[in-house]
């Protein structure tokens, strides 16, 4: 044990005092030579509860072997997943966003608790993806992330299906447009096997973002879940995790103002999920990089939507993979002078990766900046009377720029869904769903059940929906979420009354109400906090505004006062793996 090399895991493996730790590690298979190697945490979000994650155990073995072949030692950990598609529309959906924090926290605890040298995270369902990036940003331990891939399209007759079609079928069934047999047929055909929801919903949006930020190697996340090339992508990520640990290349070298802007551009130009705004803000907060959600508004005016992807378009993520994938998408943005060149975990810059793009002949999924699918990007950040700290409007799923209507106020999502299901919503209504924010929910539920039911009833273009909750990436229609401050934090959305005239002006970026909200505030009695016990109450006490990413802590300590999680007790950075 006289080797003078210093690495983070020497904290648990080097010196006479660490004999007990080495004894425990020997029981897991460590040999003498392994104590000199970098220990790489292989964190998996595998679960059999959801198709998004049910295959991830099969990706662990090639990653594990690649870590060994590259001269590292893999150490496996698991963490949780909450399936948005399964919990949608139920009280269980309140656990979804909270799970993002739990996943990030659990990765941090496993990696810091065992003084690991690097980490590879295998992710699937929506919140596991930003959680992995948040953990890497928070710890600043070398590592990379692999997305398990999209599900293949479901098929009914000559129609491709996704989970979006099932939710919309529920609305069509409620208004009598389809019968029980048709609903059953759509349900049984939509999800053919492993992989995350197939449109440019939250999972595929965030997977693309991690590639554009440089935290995932280009092309790896595009490969669909059942594709025979996916294990090789897992092996490549395992190899990269060792290389990054040996070189000392850290996540905050990738998470920069330039890469965060790329993330916003990618989400906007792909017609992606509004959840990206919440998650990118959270990743920035974890890395200590200043970031404003207004960035999404700014880039939407310069980078148009260039993909024809669901929920607003025609195609699914599998079709984009066949067309040329994220590499071709990014190259189109480079050609339009929309992107920043940034480093990536592959060792090549983003522009170098894009230069390798290959376009499939005759593809119709990925357009050019000069000939876009929509002339503007996918988002607008609105403020005004109802949202002094901002709110998020998704542009890619509708064509309206103004809306004036009468408020229909609901104190929770369940009441609003019941009204939709009972055909009590009419064209011209502005549906207000409040007390569903990060603090008030608690947990900031997604409203896909409501938005899809409205589309299924043919009301997607004829009503507006405003909430301090959020929307699924599969949501479409004239929907505005993330209203801040939320009702539970004293936001004006809590003062709106049935019948108030609500005016939405996209060009002016405002939501206003014809009412004296100041006068109402004097006599207003806020709703009492919703107590759910356990982690839900703890989250409600800690969580910040959606405009700050709904994070639950203050961000990284100043460099002068922090004890870096990957700094050896003795020795300089240059001595690591010397």
């Amino acid at each position: 044990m006289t080797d003078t090399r210093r690495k983070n895991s020497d904290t648990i493996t080097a010196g006479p005092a660490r004999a007990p730790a080495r004894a425990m590690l020997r029981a897991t298979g460590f040999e003498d030579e392994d104590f000199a190697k970098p220990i790489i945490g292989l964190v998996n979000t595998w679960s059999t509860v959801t198709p998004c994650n049910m295959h991830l155990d099969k990706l662990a073995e090639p990653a594990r072997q690649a870590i060994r072949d590259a001269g590292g030692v893999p150490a496996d950990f698991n963490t949780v997943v909450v399936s948005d598609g399964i919990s949608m529309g139920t009280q269980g959906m309140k656990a979804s966003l909270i799970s993002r924090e739990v996943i990030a926290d659990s990765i941090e605890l496993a990696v810091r608790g065992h003084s690991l040298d690097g980490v590879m995270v295998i992710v699937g369902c929506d919140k596991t993806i930003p959680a992995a990036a948040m953990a890497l940003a928070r710890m600043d331990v070398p590592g990379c992330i692999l997305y398990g891939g999209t599900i293949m399209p479901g098929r009914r007759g000559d129609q491709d299906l996704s989970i979006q079609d099932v939710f919309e079928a529920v609305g069509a069934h409620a208004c009598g447009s389809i019968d029980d047999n048709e609903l059953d047929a759509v349900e049984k055909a939509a999800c053919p096997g492993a992989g995350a929801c197939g449109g440019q919903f939250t999972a595929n949006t965030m997977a693309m973002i991690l590639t554009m930020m440089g935290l995932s190697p280009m092309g790896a996340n595009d490969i669909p879940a059942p594709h025979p090339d996916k294990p090789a992508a897992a092996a490549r990520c395992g190899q990269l995790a060792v290389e990054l640990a040996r070189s000392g290349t850290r996540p905050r070298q990738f998470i920069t103002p330039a890469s965060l802007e790329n993330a916003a551009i990618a989400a906007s130009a792909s017609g992606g999920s509004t959840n990206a705004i919440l998650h990118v803000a959270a990743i920035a907060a974890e890395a200590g990089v200043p970031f404003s959600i207004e960035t999404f508004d700014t880039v939407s005016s310069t980078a148009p939507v260039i993909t024809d992807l669901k929920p607003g378009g025609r195609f699914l993520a599998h079709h984009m993979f066949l067309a040329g994938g994220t590499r071709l998408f990014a190259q189109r943005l480079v050609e339009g002078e929309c992107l920043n060149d940034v480093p990536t975990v592959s060792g090549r810059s983003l522009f170098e990766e894009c230069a390798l793009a290959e376009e499939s002949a005759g593809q119709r999924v990925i357009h050019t900046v000069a000939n876009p699918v929509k002339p503007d990007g996918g988002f607008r950040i609105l403020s005004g009377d109802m949202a002094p700290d901002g709110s998020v409007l998704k542009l890619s799923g509708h064509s309206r720029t103004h809306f004036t209507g009468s408020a229909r106020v609901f104190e929770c999502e369940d009441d609003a869904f019941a009204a939709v299901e009972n055909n009590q919503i009419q064209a011209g209504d502005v549906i207000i769903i409040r007390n569903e924010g990060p603090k008030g929910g608690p947990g900031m539920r997604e409203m896909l059940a409501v938005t899809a039911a409205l589309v299924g009833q043919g009301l997607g273009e004829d009503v507006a929906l405003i909430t301090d909750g959020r929307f699924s990436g599969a949501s479409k229609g004239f929907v505005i979420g993330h209203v801040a401050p939320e009702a539970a934090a004293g936001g004006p959305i809590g003062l709106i009354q049935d019948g108030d005239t609500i005016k939405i002006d996209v060009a002016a970026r405002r939501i206003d109400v014809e009412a004296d909200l100041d006068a109402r505030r004097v006599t207003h009695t806020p709703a009492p906090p919703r107590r759910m016990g356990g982690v839900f109450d703890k989250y409600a006490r800690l969580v910040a505004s959606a405009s700050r990413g709904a994070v639950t802590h203050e961000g990284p300590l100043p460099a002068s006062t922090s004890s870096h999680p990957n700094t050896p007790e003795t020795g300089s950075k240059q001595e690591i793996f010397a």
Side-chain angles (χ1 to χ4, degrees):
M1 309 303 297
T2 59
D3 197 327
T4 59
R5 292 181 298 173
R6 301 300 303 173
K7 54 184 175 35
N8 199 45
S9 58
D10 285 351
T11 301
I12 60 168
T13 64
R18 297 296 173 256
R22 290 194 299 274
M24 297 285 284
L25 290 168
R26 288 182 191 279
T28 71
F30 270 64
E31 302 290 347
D32 285 349
E33 61 271 17
D34 293 328
F35 295 113
K37 299 175 181 177
I39 304 177
I40 306 298
L42 183 55
V43 182
N44 204 329
T45 60
W46 168 76
S47 170
T48 60
V49 78
T50 171
C52 311
N53 296 57
M54 71 182 193
H55 62 301
L56 302 186
D57 59 328
K58 297 178 178 62
L59 298 178
E61 181 49 40
R64 204 177 288 126
Q65 187 58 52
I67 290 169
R68 294 189 189 100
D69 292 344
V73 183
D76 289 80
F77 299 91
N78 285 95
T79 186
V80 301
V81 59
V82 174
S83 169
D84 290 13
I86 295 171
S87 64
M88 193 74 67
T90 74
Q91 292 295 305
M93 186 65 201
K94 295 182 178 183
S96 172
L97 186 59
I98 299 175
S99 78
R100 187 190 72 177
E101 311 307 302
V102 172
I103 296 162
D105 291 351
S106 66
I107 295 172
E108 177 190 14
L109 291 171
V111 173
R112 286 186 170 177
H114 299 91
S115 302
L116 303 182
D117 301 299
V119 61
M120 172 186 166
V121 191
I122 306 176
V123 296
C125 193
D126 294 2
K127 304 309 170 293
T128 66
I129 308 173
M134 290 164 64
L136 290 186
R138 184 189 302 175
M139 300 182 300
D140 206 22
V141 170
C144 64
I145 303 166
L146 174 68
Y147 169 55
T150 183
I151 197 171
M152 297 297 284
R155 195 75 177 170
R156 176 157 167 76
D158 60 354
Q159 181 184 6
D160 285 334
L161 298 179
S162 74
I163 193 66
Q164 173 188 349
D165 297 287
V166 186
F167 279 100
E168 291 179 5
V170 170
H173 180 267
C175 70
S177 297
I178 64 173
D179 60 17
D180 292 347
N181 290 335
E182 178 65 15
L183 178 60
D184 183 65
V186 172
E187 172 192 329
K188 290 178 177 177
C191 299
C197 299
Q200 192 65 350
F201 311 151
T202 303
N204 287 314
T205 300
M206 290 307 302
M208 174 186 284
I209 280 174
L210 295 197
T211 300
M212 301 290 275
M213 291 182 69
L215 293 172
S216 294
M218 180 67 75
N221 290 349
D222 293 357
I223 303 169
H227 197 282
D229 290 347
K230 200 69 183 185
R236 173 62 176 144
C237 287
Q239 176 188 358
L240 282 174
V242 177
E243 293 174 358
L244 292 162
R246 288 191 179 281
S247 67
T249 305
R250 303 183 186 279
R252 291 184 198 168
Q253 293 172 244
F254 303 111
I255 304 170
T256 64
S259 73
L260 290 165
E261 183 176 75
N262 282 354
I265 292 167
S268 177
S270 66
S273 169
T274 54
N275 281 314
I277 298 173
L278 193 72
H279 298 325
V280 171
I283 294 167
E286 296 283 5
V289 179
F291 182 80
S292 169
I293 62 171
E294 293 290 340
T295 302
F296 282 87
D297 196 294
T298 302
V299 302
S300 288
S301 64
T302 58
V305 174
I306 63 169
T307 64
D308 193 1
L309 293 171
K310 289 180 179 291
R314 296 176 293 167
F315 299 106
L316 295 166
H318 168 67
H319 301 123
M320 182 165 170
F321 166 70
L322 296 176
T326 299
R327 198 185 300 270
L328 178 62
F329 167 75
Q331 179 61 18
R332 291 284 190 261
L333 292 172
V334 171
E335 292 166 357
E337 299 183 347
C338 296
L339 281 183
N340 306 298
D341 198 12
V342 297
T344 77
V345 290
S346 74
R348 291 189 288 263
S349 76
L350 181 64
F351 283 14
E352 288 172 333
E353 290 284 7
C354 294
L356 302 175
E358 295 182 5
E359 181 176 6
S360 297
Q363 69 87 15
R364 297 172 294 158
V365 184
I366 304 168
H367 292 223
T368 64
V369 172
N371 181 32
V373 176
K374 286 182 175 288
D376 295 313
F379 307 115
R380 284 290 181 270
I381 305 299
L382 311 182
S383 55
D385 293 346
M386 281 188 61
D389 292 344
S391 62
V392 178
L393 168 69
K394 185 172 183 177
L395 294 176
S396 55
H398 65 90
S399 58
R400 301 194 67 145
T401 58
H402 295 80
F403 199 103
T404 299
S406 182
R408 293 287 308 279
V409 180
F410 299 95
E411 302 299 334
C412 64
E413 178 192 5
D414 310 81
D415 292 349
F417 183 73
V420 175
E421 197 171 37
N422 292 322
N423 300 305
Q424 295 172 355
I425 302 300
Q426 301 177 355
D429 286 344
V430 178
I431 302 167
I432 308 292
I433 305 176
R434 61 194 180 198
N435 301 308
E436 292 286 5
K439 185 180 296 292
M444 204 179 185
R445 285 195 285 182
E446 293 180 347
M447 306 290 163
L448 178 58
V450 176
T451 59
L454 289 168
V455 170
Q457 293 183 11
L459 292 171
E461 287 281 339
D462 298 321
V463 300
L465 195 161
I466 302 173
T467 180
D468 52 10
R470 59 195 175 93
F471 297 107
S472 164
S475 289
K476 62 182 181 180
F478 202 72
V479 295
I480 299 168
H482 305 203
V483 168
E486 61 177 292
I493 190 172
L495 304 174
I496 306 302
Q497 297 178 359
D498 278 332
D500 285 347
T501 298
I502 309 295
K503 294 184 176 181
I504 305 166
D505 187 331
V506 177
R509 292 167 170 74
R510 292 188 64 87
I511 318 171
D512 294 304
V513 55
E514 293 183 355
D516 188 344
L517 299 183
D518 290 335
R520 287 182 187 173
R521 191 178 296 279
V522 174
T523 59
H524 177 66
T525 302
R530 288 177 178 158
R531 293 293 308 278
M532 294 182 65
V535 67
F536 296 91
D537 288 358
K538 178 167 63 176
Y539 179 86
R541 288 194 302 271
L542 295 173
V543 69
S545 168
S547 63
R548 292 182 50 217
V551 292
T552 56
H553 66 99
E554 295 298 318
L557 294 172
S560 60
T561 62
S562 66
S563 176
H564 199 286
N566 204 39
T567 300
E569 292 178 355
T570 61
S572 68
K573 177 180 176 182
Q574 286 72 28
E575 292 175 311
I576 300 173
F577 310 120

